[in-house]
Amino acid sequence: EIVGRLSVHWSPKHHSAKHAQIFADEVNKRANGKLKIEVYPSKQLFGIREVMGAVTSGAVELGGIVGVVSFPPINKNFNVASFPGLFNSWEQQRGFFQNSSKGKEIWGELTKKTNSTLVMYNPVGPVMSISSARELTGIDAMKGLKARRLLKSEEPMWDALGANRVSLKTGEVYNALQSGMIDTINSPPGSIKAYSWWEFLKYAQKPYQYYADAYIMANSTWFNSLPADLQKIIMDVGKEVGTLSTDRIMDHGETVLKEFQDRGGVVTTLSGAEKAKFDKLMKDKVMPAMAKMIDSDALKAAQEYAKSN
Amino acid sequence: MFALASILSLLALIISVPIFLVFGLGSSVAAIGGLNLPWSVLIQVSFGALTKHVLIAVPLFIFSGMAMLKGGAALRLVKFATTLVGHWPGGLGVAMVIAMGFFAAFCGSILAAITAVGTIMMPKMIEQGYPTPFVVVLAASAALLEALIPPSNAAILFSALTYVPVSKTFAAGVIPGIILLILMVLLVLFKCRHIKADRKATLKERLSSFVAALPALITPIIILGGIYAGFLTPSESAAIAGVYAVAIGFLIYRELTFSSLLSCLKDTAIITAVIFSIIATATFLSVVLTYTQAPQKIITYFTDMGVSVNLFWIMLGTICLILGTFIEIVPVFYLTVPIFAALTLSFDQSLLHLYVVFVAFAGIGMITPPVCVGIYTAAGVIKENPANAFKEVPLFTIVGIIYGILMILFPIFSTWLPSLL
Amino acid sequence: MKALRAVNNFLASASLALAMLIIFIMVAALFLSAATRFITGTGFAWFIELPPVLVSWLVFPLLGPLLKKGQHIKVDFLTPMLSKKNKEILFLIVNIIALLSACVFFKAGLDATIMYFNLGQVMEIEISIPIWWMFLAFPVGFLILALTSLELLFDNIMNIIRD
Ligand code: NA
Ligand code: NA
């Protein structure tokens, strides 16, 4: 029996962890004893930033990789994925990396350097701003917020809004919200439930800023060494469960937001003049700063792809 | 392969191979030979463990303790404690315990605590007729206060291993720390009731020693206030404590010099490297444990045996006591806490309760020979042969066990204060 | 032998100086992190992110020098009971084990460093430091450890022959 260890940092309650488990269970069923995928959740083996290196070295055969976390440090052009308002769906974002020539080049370099193979899409969700301080009715309300910074690509937006940013690991967020060290976070709705952050967060803001995708990636050396039938099972199941996970993620987010509102949370959707002010700030301040984090040809290719697809 | 690795490690341990090598060698044999993992996995995991932000507070609290020691703060604390209780029977002993308690509240280093307070107090006590072995073991065991009263490096290591917020682990140690302090005061009052005391300090003396100690006494307010008000991360508060200690050492007490500052940095670097090298290779071991899913298997074993909660705590205490006799507290942490934490949760018990019980029992190890860093340090301070002090160990061990049992029986001591946060 | 000793002594002084500097930087960076956040309202992320990055360079180069000074934590159980000669033989075994492990860890550390070098991953902080620089502390530290245990090994052998 071949064993494939799948390390994810998500806690078992998280959408992406659940679908990683569904993937493993289904592969194990179809492989009928020839292959066993074991899921190690809750960063038992590797944390969100370490898991990519672990897949590359073969420390684990498979890993749950959050694209916007793991890929920009290897190829900065992956920052197009968190460029606010650029891609309007998972499909479009994935299409750019799989179908356009520039996108393929970026993706190809990433998978080559990391010696990894994409097995399954497993999105973490659409990203929105959520705060405990006040209702996020527009850009004025966001001035002076104490925002958590996870990614370098988040800096331009917080800076443009006049928010203070504090660097914190995911494990430190709960405590920082509790003590008031931070009061705002950019996050998919699912995470505020999975990590209990909604005990403090009360005000969410739509529209979503970008679609944070995650992937189950396999170590290529290991994957290529598998018999063809097992490779096929993994890819088939990856495709099926990936579709399932993607189909469910938006609904999951909406369900969480509904629960959030039932708990007394407020969801503000920017519209009209406020939306226009927000968009203008994005266009004038955030996008130029973010554009510096991306090669101009890559950004242009992504914008063109998004326009025509 | 796993049996081979265990036997190898045990042999290496007995022939006094440094513990970080024992951990490293045993686990790399198991990981590379037994689990067929790539060599680099050990380093990847170890790097991940060492770069946890919360761990940075460890060297910083050691540094602040060193700066307080060399900057003259320790001396003022001792004087203040002595003017408070020096006239009681056994007063100097009580004063040492109280001074240790104060010092513990801004220091994260056991060695610094023993050295700082012990250097001043121990010779005085011996001069007044306290039996030397008693003085040595008292100083050594007062260091256990250090591990409980926040800020505490023990709490930080525990948090790094279990992901419990440091602010909670810090809070969990406060009441148990005070209870331990009271127990030790009672022990001193009883044992030393015949030793003649100092004259009672006048109100003026008390006041002036209080004023002198004040800059040091407010340190905990800065450290803990900053954390609990949400201004500071634990490591930032540790850095501020360090800068503050240097500042009062230079400006107020004027006892710190540039060269003593350098020696603070040097001592801190060495102690940190010693502790972190163990963390680095103990993490190798945790790789093997996780990959083999050993904690889960142990939990299943315990559940199948139908072990009760109380039996679990008693076994835990016994294991800590035995390990603590032969191994130092940091490796005991990394060897057992990951498994204990999983078990504690499977018994539906609080991790904060685990922290306090664990520190109580593993901490006794600091005074039980052969491996007893507390006694070696305390004896070293007064250039005494540590073996001469061993005859007082049983008494303190018994008190320690009573204390540990109290902590098992009353989880509220450890969970109540954190629950208010 | 003389040359090895000289090299080791130099490495020991350099490691200690580096470690002291790193402690100083840690204190300063985190103090400034809090101070700047307090004053300006917004902090500088890299003040907070720099210290963890430096830890590997603080710890690993010092492993060898600490071995030589006998400052590592160990179980001193047998040594008090042994004769001088037997003690020397015991130390010989210990130093052989140290040398062997240092070689194993050196290889592991080198593998990891090369992997991150090829991966080209940078730290996610304001200054984009390549992550392999941090991993390099492992092979460097274990190399120093190997050299130190080699020196100690020679000393053991000389002492045993002399007795
Ligand atoms: Na303390
Ligand atoms: Na002991």
Side-chain angles (χ1 to χ4, degrees), chain A residues 222-236:
Chain A
W222 174 76
F223 184 79
N224 295 332
S225 74
L226 293 176
D229 59 327
L230 292 182
Q231 289 188 5
K232 184 168 181 322
I233 290 175
I234 290 178
M235 283 303 181
D236 288 349

Side-chain angles (χ1 to χ4, degrees), chain C residues 77-119:
Chain C
F77 186 65
L78 277 185
T79 32
M81 299 184 238
L82 295 177
S83 68
K84 192 162 173 279
K85 173 110 191 224
N86 286 340
K87 224 186 257 182
E88 204 61 55
I89 292 172
L90 187 80
F91 288 149
L92 179 81
I93 300 171
V94 170
N95 289 325
I96 290 173
I97 292 176
L99 181 61
L100 284 177
S101 344
C103 292
V104 172
F105 304 151
F106 172 75
K107 151 104 169 104
L110 197 63
D111 280 1
T113 311
I114 291 172
M115 191 205 98
Y116 280 99
F117 180 79
N118 291 333
L119 192 57

Side-chain angles (χ1 to χ4, degrees), chain B residues 104-105 107 146 149-152:
Chain B
C107 165
E146 199 321 282
I149 296 177
S152 141

Side-chain angles (χ1 to χ4, degrees), chain A residues 76-80 83 290-296 298-299:
Chain A
K76 63 175 183 167
N77 288 333
F78 194 85
N79 276 325
V80 295
F83 200 95
M290 276 209 69
K292 284 188 196 146
M293 298 179 178
I294 304 169
D295 289 330
S296 61
L299 180 59

Side-chain angles (χ1 to χ4, degrees), chain A residues 5 38-40 42-46 50 53-55 57-60 168-169 171-172 174-175 178-181, chain B residues 35 37-38 40-41 44-45 48 51-54 163 165 167-168 227 229-233 236 290-291 293 296 421:
Chain A
R5 288 160 293 209
E38 294 171 352
V39 185
Y40 293 78
S42 307
K43 59 189 169 191
Q44 273 175 38
L45 283 176
F46 296 96
E50 288 106 43
V55 172
S57 73
V60 284
L168 287 173
K169 293 191 173 180
E172 293 169 335
Y174 181 91
N175 200 41
Q178 186 178 42
S179 70
M181 170 173 264
Chain B
L35 293 165
L37 294 170
S40 61
V41 64
Q44 285 176 294
V45 175
T51 50
K52 279 184 186 164
H53 192 257
V54 52
Y163 302 104
S167 54
K168 298 241 175 195
I227 296 176
F231 290 137
L232 304 173
T233 65
E236 284 173 346
T290 320
Y291 273 94
Q293 303 200 303
Q296 287 84 343
L421 295 176

